Amino acid sequence: MPTRTSRGILDRLKGGVVLGAEGYVFELERRGYIKAGPYVPEVVLDSPDALRELHREFLRAGADVMVALTYYAHRGKLKDVGRENDLEAMNRQAVRIANEVAREGDALVAGDICNTWAYDPKNKDASSKVVRAMYEEQLSWAVDEGIDFVIAETNDYLGEALIALQVIKELKFPAMVTLATTRPHQTWDGYDYVDACKILADHGADIVGLNCDRGPVTMMPIIEQVRSRVSGYVAMQPVPYKTEPAMPTFESLKTADGTNVFPIALEPFLCTRFEMADYARRAQALGVNYIGICCGGSPHYVRAMAEALGRTVPASKYSPAIELHPVIGTRVEEKEKEFLVDWKG
Ligand SMILES: [Zn+2]
């Protein structure tokens, strides 16, 4: 196992906010390296340079954590695309690449596991064994390649999240466990989201919270309650989409004519970088410890969030200087701006 040189996740959280960055699968799909639908991270083996580049862009934008792209790199999903034989190679390579890029800065490497689609509360004992074996398998490779902590994410079931937590704790790694919030108030096995976070924390999860599905506006109210119920570290990684009470998740977003836009026509609902910066500030004020972004995330959001948290990051070198813009910049005579107003009017 490679030696870990940087400060661990718990040390960093003690010192202040840790900035996360995810959304690898969605972004690499947009860039043409992952197929929408199955969303299996085939890019890890087929185009490792594309993955390396995205890690690097997140690192330059200020991400403190390189999350290994092992999301959906599990036995069930690889079978769907006929690549079950690539399972180990894909998992190992993803962690290796995350490590390579993390070393270019001072980032941590997170092993990543997620909902398996194999957990069945009606057949809890048997399905738990299958899920546990999948997590053990993925994490044994991750640990072998070198990780600092583990993120278990987009958990629809508390029961499945608890299995992930147990496996992570047996391996003696810090555990960040976050829930998906596709339903109004409860996990798919019927636990209120806030209660479920409390239960995870009580079972030893070092960081608990929510990721994916909801944009900042509809995730924040639940996170506020989690923050008030849980004494440990809290994580929030929303999707950068304008969800609202009537359409609280990105899966529920519809255009005015009623067309569903999830998952590949979501662009009209994207947040601006300013909205994501504002979210980061509000999360920090609320006492959220791990502030990140999920599906739809891209480097310009992460840089805006980092700067909102008061940081100057490598990509800040090219942060906007709109005052220098030839038409809308402040150095331009009012008269010259008139054509813009006319055109808009
Ligand atoms: Zn997501």
Side-chain angles (χ1 to χ4, degrees):
M1 193 195 303
T3 350
R4 318 305 308 175
T5 51
S6 45
R7 285 164 63 220
I9 181 72
L10 300 179
D11 253 18
R12 292 185 191 212
L13 286 165
K14 207 185 286 175
V17 167
V18 168
L19 182 62
E22 296 190 37
Y24 286 92
V25 169
F26 259 45
E27 180 62 17
L28 288 163
E29 189 279 331
R30 288 189 291 219
R31 295 183 184 191
Y33 296 103
I34 284 179
K35 188 180 281 292
Y39 285 114
V40 176
E42 297 176 83
V43 60
V44 173
L45 292 177
D46 297 350
S47 306
D49 283 341
L51 175 57
R52 232 172 246 123
E53 174 60 25
L54 183 55
H55 272 301
R56 197 168 282 134
E57 290 173 21
F58 279 141
L59 184 73
R60 290 183 73 253
D64 293 315
V65 178
M66 294 291 105
V67 182
L69 183 50
T70 53
Y71 192 92
Y72 277 174
H74 58 60
R75 202 164 279 282
K77 274 285 177 182
L78 263 75
K79 207 185 265 178
D80 290 350
V81 293
R83 295 191 73 160
E84 219 185 338
N85 292 337
D86 289 334
L87 186 65
E88 179 172 353
M90 197 178 283
N91 274 271
R92 284 186 179 278
Q93 175 123 313
V95 180
R96 227 173 275 152
I97 290 173
N99 267 288
E100 273 173 41
V101 182
R103 294 295 187 284
E104 295 175 11
D106 183 33
L108 297 172
V109 173
D112 185 79
I113 50 178
C114 61
N115 56 317
T116 61
W117 301 105
Y119 185 76
D120 178 6
K122 289 197 196 86
N123 187 13
K124 198 172 169 183
D125 287 351
S127 67
S128 294
K129 278 187 195 132
V130 174
V131 170
R132 168 174 262 279
M134 288 164 84
Y135 290 153
E136 284 176 347
E137 182 173 62
Q138 271 193 287
L139 288 181
S140 68
W141 296 319
V143 169
D144 201 36
E145 296 296 336
I147 53 172
D148 295 289
F149 70 108
V150 179
I151 297 176
E153 59 174 331
T154 55
N155 287 287
D156 296 309
Y157 296 102
L158 174 64
E160 191 173 36
L162 285 166
I163 298 169
L165 175 59
Q166 208 170 27
V167 173
I168 300 166
K169 285 288 131 185
E170 283 166 12
L171 291 166
K172 303 200 181 332
F173 279 86
M176 170 163 146
V177 186
T178 52
L179 303 170
T181 45
T182 52
R183 298 197 175 161
H185 307 290
Q186 295 180 334
T187 63
W188 290 9
D189 43 359
Y191 293 86
D192 175 86
Y193 290 128
V194 182
D195 292 340
C197 285
K198 176 83 169 79
I199 292 168
L200 286 163
D202 290 345
H203 279 73
D206 302 279
I207 311 157
V208 299
L210 310 177
N211 82 289
C212 212
D213 303 301
R214 291 174 186 250
V217 168
T218 52
M219 186 179 277
M220 195 66 88
I222 306 177
I223 284 291
E224 271 186 59
Q225 293 181 55
V226 173
R227 179 63 290 171
S228 66
R229 281 282 300 285
V230 171
S231 56
Y233 298 124
V234 171
M236 175 174 184
Q237 300 211 84
V239 295
Y241 295 101
K242 296 174 201 278
T243 58
E244 50 167 285
M247 302 184 286
T249 62
F250 69 166
E251 290 94 341
S252 64
L253 289 173
K254 284 181 173 60
T255 54
D257 66 0
T259 310
N260 279 307
V261 295
F262 179 83
I264 51 170
L266 284 159
E267 283 84 354
F269 293 94
L270 274 169
C271 293
T272 66
R273 63 182 76 186
F274 303 103
E275 288 165 321
M276 293 308 286
D278 184 51
Y279 136 66
R281 268 188 295 267
R282 283 187 298 129
Q284 183 184 36
L286 194 66
V288 176
N289 311 92
Y290 189 107
I291 297 175
I293 189 168
C294 205
C295 303
S298 55
H300 72 299
Y301 288 128
V302 178
R303 178 178 63 185
M305 289 159 61
E307 291 176 351
L309 296 173
R311 304 176 185 189
T312 301
V313 299
S316 295
K317 181 178 178 190
Y318 303 106
S319 285
I322 300 301
E323 68 278 11
L324 301 181
H325 189 278
V327 176
I328 58 173
T330 51
R331 295 187 187 180
V332 179
E333 293 293 322
E334 284 307 309
K335 216 180 352 176
E336 291 175 47
K337 287 188 192 170
E338 275 169 19
F339 88 92
L340 248 195
V341 177
D342 287 349
W343 182 79
K344 273 184 187 162

